[in-house]
Amino acid sequence: MRAKESAGIGILNLQGGVAEHFDHLARLNIPAKLVKERGHLDGLAGLIIPGGESTCLGKLLRIVNLTEAIKERNRAGMNIWGTCAGAILIAARVVGQEPILGLMDITIERNGFGSQLASFHKWAFVPAVAGEPIPLTFIRAPKILAAGGDVKILLEQDGYIAAAESPAALATVFHPELTPSLAFHRYFVRKCGLGLKDASDTAGPTPGWEMTSWTSHSRLA
């Protein structure tokens, strides 16, 4: 895939796990831009909407007048990746509430696993993303319940969809940025058409990463 001339990948910088996504892109040697206003979207090949609190993020998007701007840029070719709360924001259908961005033909349910105490870690094999199992962190995670015809399911387990993509969007109900793995960030970078310099995942989880990832991010959803 030919690399695009762009400012790299943006990270919506309103609330949630911004620094962790920034760190993962840095480890891939990909320029990252923090996005707080319409002009920050200029030239981006992709935009990450991080985990956080979906209701809060939706309100903040409207306050800073980014809702329509993100929709316009997505229609013009800028890829969107929503993680956890970000996946809720990009869903076309949200159980019990109106959709916010509606960029991906999926139906999603907030807090699909219950309260913060139901957060968990697991490993999963996602063939399209990596050749080996990937660590996954679920924190008050939503569940993707259904997907439309242009949506490719990347990971389905236990009766729900955990990761999916459409031509211009990627949704993960878990938090790849809270694990040592770069697999999903590498996948999104390539989806955006950006070239990658050599970068490798850590050999394995760093000691204590499972506990640190949700005790220090208790407000993520």
Side-chain angles (χ1 to χ4, degrees), residues 90-157:
I90 69 173
R93 295 168 298 280
V94 183
V95 175
Q97 67 179 63
E98 291 296 315
I100 296 171
L101 292 171
L103 301 176
M104 191 173 181
D105 189 7
I106 56 175
T107 301
I108 201 163
E109 179 184 24
R110 298 179 71 233
N111 298 329
F113 299 90
S115 71
Q116 182 80 18
L117 295 177
S119 300
F120 62 97
H121 297 281
K122 68 180 298 181
W123 290 75
F125 183 49
V126 190
V129 176
E132 62 282 325
I134 302 170
L136 309 178
T137 294
F138 294 73
I139 303 176
R140 289 179 57 206
K143 288 181 177 179
I144 299 173
L145 304 179
D150 71 338
V151 175
K152 175 183 177 182
I153 296 172
L154 301 177
L155 177 61
E156 186 171 10
Q157 53 189 7

Side-chain angles (χ1 to χ4, degrees), residues 69-90:
I70 290 173
K71 291 180 181 180
E72 291 169 8
R73 298 304 173 90
N74 182 245
R75 288 192 292 265
M78 181 184 73
N79 282 273
I80 303 286
W81 177 15
T83 65
C84 201
I88 297 170
L89 264 65
I90 69 173

